Amino acid sequence: MQRQSGRGPIASATNHRSAGSQYRHVFVPDNQETDSIATVRWRVPVPTPSPFPELGDSGQQKGPDGPPPRWHRFDADFRRRIVPAALRPPLHRVEGMSRMTPRLTTHPMTRLVRGFLASMAALILPLSLSSFATADDEKSSPESWTVQVGSEAHDQAIQGMSFLPANIYVNSGDTVTWEANSAEIHTVTFLAHGQSLMPFNPFDPKQLSRQGGTAYDGHSYYNSGIMANVSNTGFKAVEGYTLKFTHTGNFTYYCIVHGKGMKGTVHVRAAGTDYPYSQSQYDRQTRKQERKIARDGEEQWAAAHKQAGSHKVIAGTDNEVAMLMRFVHHETVVHVGDTVTFLNTGMGAPHTVTFGHEPANIFAPVGNPKDFRGGNLSSGLMEPGAKFTVTFKKVGEFDYICALHDYMGMTGEVEVRP
Ligand SMILES: [Cu+2]
């Protein structure tokens, strides 16, 4: 992310940020401080509702569809499919609530076409169930299925912790491909029989890299490695993960970064079984769920604006499914001697408040927050509910970042006046 301004403190932050490699230092296994980091947990403590409530385990679809899609507001799926990651516009500074107004990232004609396709889909989808059921000839040929890993909206400001769909019904011999759909990192992890879900350990290669073969055996540990749709997460991330399923059963998997709150199930049935849903039906539900997460994120954003004050910054928030990866307000003006409190009001995601150079260990505090005159100062890991209070003793403009989420645009500035 390039800063717009050439002012002193910002320029140094630009160098710092564009270097990009600072963040990686945290995850170098031979770092002496790694031991203290290795046990850090950021578990989601309470199971969240299924991100795909329309599809219960019974396979029955509930109720009529919701309100029509709000295409003009959010369509991460479209963005993901149509705009290659390398071509997506760079992050830019957040201008508070004005950023929540619709931002036309697509040509109006494109949106018209999408609207048309959506209405066509609405006509065709009810037929697809019966067409699936009657396609007896093709029953025996293996199908390929796609599940999205994570979701995001508003230039990565809002991140979803969900597999979409969370439940997918396949037949023995079919393959499932998980596609990274967010800048926030996730994994697809099947635990071995009898193994319990472990805390995320950013130094454990069995968590960070792919484990297991290409065909799921029904009982061993399989892991995608870190997945993301961007390359600047600080991890070696993959965009896709494919497994073939040849054993019948219901196989639950997790994201080991976000814990038991983020899970999904592959329901594998005998070859030749009728599929309850087509891929396009799953996709439609996925887009609906993505929009809900985006709306939840917007609501949290609005609430954060109400909570924030002239000396109080909301340092990210989340409801365990939708996360806001922003400082609110991201620009604060105070006077010399004033104190600013940074608050993580979320329930699941940790953040940091980091001035100056990103420390090798972003999990540990750096500097003296009671007497900040520029230079290096970091909160260390701020778990949900944590606060960090800084007293500014010098005039200037001081940039800061969340060392975990800066690459999503989670950055801010405190201007200290005489
Ligand atoms: Cu953060």
Side-chain angles (χ1 to χ4, degrees):
M1 174 180 170
Q2 294 297 314
R3 293 300 182 109
Q4 308 286 322
S5 166
R7 290 175 293 177
I10 293 181
S12 72
T14 302
N15 296 336
H16 158 66
R17 287 178 52 75
S18 60
S21 60
Q22 300 277 0
Y23 183 64
R24 286 193 187 86
H25 290 175
V26 180
F27 302 109
V28 173
D30 59 4
N31 185 309
Q32 291 182 349
E33 294 166 301
T34 57
D35 284 347
S36 63
I37 310 167
T39 54
V40 166
R41 298 164 58 99
W42 60 79
R43 280 279 161 263
V44 176
V46 182
T48 52
S50 163
F52 203 161
E54 292 77 12
L55 293 176
D57 284 348
S58 65
Q60 298 299 311
Q61 189 139 13
K62 289 185 221 158
D65 290 327
R70 295 196 287 169
W71 295 107
H72 64 287
R73 297 193 71 178
F74 169 61
D75 188 355
D77 181 60
F78 175 81
R79 186 168 182 253
R80 179 180 65 83
R81 288 179 193 283
I82 304 302
V83 186
L87 300 180
R88 285 175 196 154
L91 296 174
H92 50 270
R93 304 195 78 160
V94 179
E95 300 303 336
M97 291 299 286
S98 65
R99 294 279 298 102
M100 291 177 61
T101 56
R103 200 170 65 86
L104 300 183
T105 55
T106 52
H107 190 276
M109 184 57 73
T110 312
R111 286 180 291 121
L112 274 179
V113 169
R114 273 191 283 147
F116 172 73
L117 289 176
S119 41
M120 287 304 290
L123 288 172
I124 294 166
L125 280 170
L127 304 173
S128 57
L129 230 175
S130 55
S131 62
F132 252 74
T134 53
D136 285 359
D137 302 344
E138 296 175 15
K139 268 184 188 172
S140 54
S141 62
E143 293 277 340
S144 298
W145 303 88
T146 304
V147 175
Q148 291 189 9
V149 180
S151 65
E152 62 188 4
H154 292 297
D155 292 335
Q156 307 169 332
I158 296 163
Q159 296 286 324
M161 291 181 268
S162 296
F163 296 107
L164 301 170
N167 287 281
I168 192 159
Y169 293 81
V170 308
N171 288 351
S172 181
D174 290 358
T175 58
V176 177
T177 295
W178 285 266
E179 289 181 353
N181 193 41
S182 69
E184 172 71 336
I185 59 167
H186 301 286
T187 71
V188 172
T189 307
F190 292 84
L191 298 173
H193 188 68
Q195 183 180 14
S196 54
L197 187 61
M198 64 292 264
F200 178 55
N201 175 353
F203 307 102
D204 182 352
K206 288 199 165 149
Q207 296 190 15
L208 300 188
S209 58
R210 182 170 180 147
Q211 304 289 318
T214 55
Y216 182 61
D217 68 6
H219 58 84
S220 300
Y221 178 77
Y222 282 73
N223 182 31
S224 62
I226 298 290
M227 298 185 72
N229 66 3
V230 295
S231 58
N232 57 352
T233 63
F235 291 92
K236 195 170 183 290
V238 297
E239 291 209 6
Y241 178 56
T242 300
L243 279 181
K244 184 174 184 175
F245 288 85
T246 52
H247 293 70
T248 57
N250 301 315
F251 304 109
T252 294
Y253 58 93
Y254 297 89
C255 165
I256 40 179
V257 178
H258 297 110
K260 64 184 177 191
M262 185 170 170
K263 67 179 179 183
T265 304
V266 181
H267 304 267
V268 186
R269 310 195 290 182
T273 307
D274 288 342
Y275 295 114
Y277 302 103
S278 66
Q279 182 71 52
S280 60
Q281 286 176 310
Y282 287 126
D283 290 348
R284 189 154 147 263
Q285 294 294 341
T286 289
R287 287 191 288 274
K288 202 163 137 187
Q289 192 59 33
E290 282 183 320
R291 288 191 294 274
K292 184 187 182 311
I293 291 170
R295 285 196 299 273
D296 285 355
E298 287 172 3
E299 280 172 18
Q300 293 180 68
W301 206 340
H305 270 267
K306 283 182 187 154
Q307 282 179 273
S310 58
H311 293 74
K312 181 176 168 187
V313 176
I314 305 303
T317 189
D318 68 85
N319 67 358
E320 298 183 323
V321 175
M323 301 179 274
L324 175 65
M325 304 301 202
R326 287 293 183 270
F327 293 106
V328 181
H329 306 288
H330 71 289
E331 287 178 340
T332 306
V333 180
V334 298
H335 294 285
V336 173
D338 282 1
T339 291
V340 177
T341 299
F342 300 86
L343 265 173
N344 176 355
T345 58
M347 301 164 77
H351 301 284
T352 80
V353 172
T354 303
F355 292 87
H357 284 285
E358 206 167 302
N361 179 356
I362 61 171
F363 294 76
V366 172
N368 178 10
K370 290 180 178 162
D371 185 7
F372 182 63
R373 297 164 190 267
N376 299 333
L377 176 70
S378 187
S379 62
L381 198 71
M382 289 176 68
E383 296 281 5
K387 70 177 178 183
F388 182 55
T389 301
V390 182
T391 304
F392 293 86
K393 295 284 187 69
K394 193 180 171 190
V395 171
E397 287 156 348
F398 302 104
D399 276 20
Y400 61 91
I401 61 171
C402 169
L404 292 164
H405 304 121
D406 54 337
Y407 67 94
M408 299 174 191
M410 190 165 177
T411 66
E413 182 196 282
V414 177
E415 182 184 339
V416 183
R417 293 179 179 171

